[in-house]
Amino acid sequence: MTGPIGIFDSGYGGLTILHGIRQLMPEYDYLYLGDNARAPYGTRSFDVVYEFTRQAVERLFSLGCQLVILGCNTASAKALRTIQQHDLPLWDPERRVLGIIRPTAEVIGTLTNTRHVGIFATEGTIRSQSYEMEIAKLWPDIHVSGVACPFWVPLVEYNEADSPGADYFVKKRIDQLLRMDSKIDTIILGCTHYPLLLPKIHKYIPRGIRIVSQGEYVAESLLHYFEHHPQLEQRCTKGGSVHYLTTENPEKFKESAQIFLHEPVEVENINLG
């Protein structure tokens, strides 16, 4: 069986992951699913995030996807491992579900000189300590500090990322993180919405601190994954197409998706519950 590469997110942020992958691997077919009706996931419990994510992955598999990427840090933190260990063997052990935290953790040790790394993320991702755990496995000498940024996602989704009001919320969290650890020289944007706030982040971040967006690293990691798993790669169709699904109003999705992709999209509504 063959099919597209599935990308799932609770909302729109995963579109930055999709964009990064398509930039590097445009020949593949992609199917994007946003659970916009039940977003955000960041403040939900582990059990709820797992259940919602499981429903989404199962739906993408039913639509032919051979590989699903959880383009959502909260889902990667709270649901990925259980789906990989418990559900995947029951559904189809030949298919794969991958997250976006590990690819970032894999490269972070090559990017920091001081070995002090910061993370901006949602409350759920920070509380899960998933980045700290993954980085510790690979780079035990790195010191990690994280700050939750609860207002950053709404700023992006309501198209306020460029507004003067965004400055206060961005500067506040940057100052908070650097008070926690003044030696930080590299900061991970641990939420896929946050790259849209980069102009504001660069405005207030001290010179010399590197900001790490996930899209390019997830794309490179997927390319390497396919090199090591050629049988899976061959089951991913190559027609250069991309289709979008949402659990929310399609017109709202179209409008918001253009903030992330800067291109018109066609989208269908589906129900996961």
Side-chain angles (χ1 to χ4, degrees):
M1 189 175 180
T2 61
I5 297 170
I7 296 179
F8 168 69
D9 185 27
S10 59
Y12 302 101
L15 294 169
T16 62
I17 300 297
L18 172 63
H19 177 72
I21 295 173
R22 285 179 70 201
Q23 291 288 103
L24 191 63
M25 306 164 65
E27 68 273 23
Y28 292 88
D29 293 314
Y30 298 94
L31 182 58
Y32 183 91
L33 169 55
D35 189 12
N36 307 84
R38 301 189 293 195
Y41 281 15
T43 55
R44 293 187 182 274
S45 70
F46 271 75
D47 289 345
V48 170
V49 171
Y50 161 66
E51 180 57 28
F52 287 179
T53 305
R54 187 191 64 77
Q55 291 171 1
V57 172
E58 194 168 21
R59 176 61 63 87
L60 286 167
F61 278 171
S62 76
L63 294 169
C65 294
Q66 302 299 298
L67 164 70
V68 173
I69 297 167
L70 304 185
C72 171
N73 284 275
T74 303
S76 295
K78 294 184 174 182
L80 176 63
R81 186 154 298 178
T82 305
I83 287 173
Q84 287 176 331
Q85 295 177 352
H86 179 264
D87 298 302
L88 205 50
L90 301 175
W91 289 336
D92 184 347
E94 297 300 312
R95 303 199 202 194
R96 291 290 179 269
V97 182
L98 304 176
I100 58 174
I101 291 175
R102 178 132 187 136
T104 313
E106 285 173 346
V107 300
I108 201 66
T110 67
L111 303 177
T112 173
N113 293 315
T114 65
R115 318 309 281 173
H116 288 253
V117 170
I119 299 167
F120 291 131
T122 64
E123 185 182 333
T125 299
I126 293 296
R127 238 196 258 150
S128 74
Q129 296 195 310
S130 295
Y131 274 98
E132 288 90 335
M133 290 187 287
E134 287 297 331
I135 291 171
K137 288 178 201 169
L138 300 163
W139 313 97
D141 63 317
I142 290 180
H143 182 269
V144 181
S145 302
V147 165
C149 307
F151 293 104
W152 287 20
V153 167
L155 284 172
V156 171
E157 296 213 342
Y158 288 102
N159 206 13
E160 295 290 331
D162 297 325
S163 70
D167 290 63
Y168 169 80
F169 295 104
V170 171
K171 184 178 186 301
K172 180 178 181 180
R173 298 308 176 189
I174 289 172
D175 291 346
Q176 180 183 349
L177 181 63
L178 296 181
R179 278 198 304 271
M180 291 172 69
D181 185 353
S182 61
K183 295 181 182 178
I184 287 171
D185 72 344
T186 307
I187 297 175
I188 297 168
L189 300 185
C191 172
T192 50
H193 284 68
Y194 296 176
L196 276 77
L197 287 162
L198 273 171
K200 297 290 189 192
I201 293 169
H202 284 303
K203 182 176 176 181
Y204 294 106
I205 213 81
R207 187 174 296 177
I209 294 181
R210 180 198 291 262
I211 305 298
V212 177
S213 296
Q214 296 173 290
E216 63 177 296
Y217 298 109
V218 172
E220 289 169 5
S221 178
L222 180 58
L223 198 60
H224 294 148
Y225 189 86
F226 276 165
E227 288 171 1
H228 291 101
H229 299 83
Q231 290 179 316
L232 177 64
E233 189 277 335
Q234 289 161 15
R235 297 204 307 275
C236 296
T237 53
K238 301 174 185 68
S241 70
V242 56
H243 293 95
Y244 300 90
L245 303 171
T246 178
T247 57
E248 181 57 280
N249 182 306
E251 291 305 315
K252 184 179 186 311
F253 184 95
K254 284 183 190 179
E255 185 181 321
S256 297
Q258 290 192 48
I259 299 170
F260 290 83
L261 298 175
H262 307 294
E263 65 182 26
V265 303
E266 290 301 318
V267 60
E268 294 177 46
N269 175 263
I270 64 162
N271 180 32
L272 292 178

